[in-house]
Amino acid sequence: MTPDVVVDIGNTRMKWGRVRDGRIADVARLKHDDAVGWKRQAELWDIAPGGVTWAAASVVPAATTRFRDWLLSRGVDCVEVRRPGLNTRRLCTRLRL
């Protein structure tokens, strides 16, 4: 499965990459705690709530939790966050196929 949007939650900010034809076509840099900015970026890229697949990697657990909660509030059924050196941790209960 290739995600529609990939997210890198780093120490100082998060980066979103919009995937098209198996490649990252566009990149956005966003603040960890800016849900309004996240919403604006989703609208700019015409990302419908719950209509795309997201993949995220993170080194900042608190920012990851905020972002996960935001995604879930937008109707994303399942969010997986991969952390270096650890197994994938499922952060929701349903997987939308």
Side-chain angles (χ1 to χ4, degrees):
M1 173 185 78
T2 301
D4 301 301
V5 182
V6 293
V7 180
D8 174 17
I9 302 173
N11 287 316
T12 59
R13 66 175 175 244
M14 70 170 61
K15 290 177 267 188
W16 292 10
R18 181 166 47 172
V19 179
R20 288 193 179 160
D21 299 321
R23 296 175 173 229
I24 296 176
D26 303 295
V27 175
R29 288 163 183 79
L30 303 154
K31 296 179 182 178
H32 283 177
D33 59 352
D34 186 10
V36 172
W38 305 341
K39 182 178 185 243
R40 279 191 203 124
Q41 189 62 49
E43 290 169 350
L44 224 145
W45 284 355
D46 198 26
I47 297 172
V52 300
T53 303
W54 296 75
S58 176
V59 295
V60 185
T64 304
T65 299
R66 283 191 299 274
F67 186 65
R68 177 207 59 202
D69 292 347
W70 180 79
L71 284 174
L72 292 172
S73 77
R74 293 181 54 80
V76 174
D77 289 329
C78 189
V79 179
E80 290 183 356
V81 177
R82 297 183 184 270
R83 294 173 19 185
L86 298 177
N87 292 332
T88 298
R89 184 177 66 165
R90 208 172 284 285
L91 299 176
C92 62
T93 57
R94 295 180 311 194
L95 176 61
R96 180 173 42 88
L97 300 175

